[in-house]
Amino acid sequence: LLNRSSDLLTQEKVGLVLKYIDQHFRGELYTQAVVNYHQFQIPYKDTILKCLEMYDIEESDLMYETIRKDFNRKKGRIEERLIKRC
């Protein structure tokens, strides 16, 4: 990957970019799952699996069980944040 001055990014910086993308993706995915559940009674699992399918993310790329555990840890904070917005 290249940065603005056309220099190659270091492995460390590439790792940081990938970590940011993963965190952002998960945050959006989890927020969508919570919203769909509260607004439309769509089960969390359905939203998560459909979203992974939409982006062509396979079980070998990102295991559902890993996502589920992470989602369960963060779901309460997401709900609190959404309630504060209302």
Side-chain angles (χ1 to χ4, degrees):
L1 291 175
L2 299 176
N3 65 15
R4 289 184 184 183
S5 64
S6 298
D7 296 329
L8 287 176
L9 293 176
T10 64
Q11 283 297 107
E12 180 183 347
K13 289 183 181 179
V14 170
L16 291 173
V17 169
L18 293 175
K19 182 178 178 180
Y20 170 79
I21 292 169
D22 182 63
Q23 289 173 341
H24 183 74
F25 174 77
R26 287 180 189 226
E28 293 298 317
L29 173 64
Y30 300 163
T31 300
Q32 190 62 53
V34 169
V35 168
N36 283 351
Y37 178 76
H38 287 282
Q39 294 291 320
F40 308 109
Q41 293 72 50
I42 298 172
Y44 300 122
K45 182 177 182 177
D46 290 354
T47 297
I48 291 170
L49 291 177
K50 284 292 183 188
C51 210
L52 294 176
E53 180 183 319
M54 183 178 72
Y55 286 104
D56 199 27
I57 298 173
E58 298 180 6
E59 183 76 12
S60 60
D61 299 321
L62 187 58
M63 293 176 50
Y64 171 74
E65 202 55 30
T66 302
I67 290 288
R68 183 191 62 78
K69 288 177 182 177
D70 190 39
F71 173 70
N72 286 340
R73 283 191 297 272
K74 296 177 180 174
K75 178 176 53 173
R77 280 181 270 156
I78 293 168
E79 290 172 330
E80 288 174 9
R81 188 183 77 232
L82 291 173
I83 288 169
K84 286 180 183 179
R85 285 187 188 174
C86 295

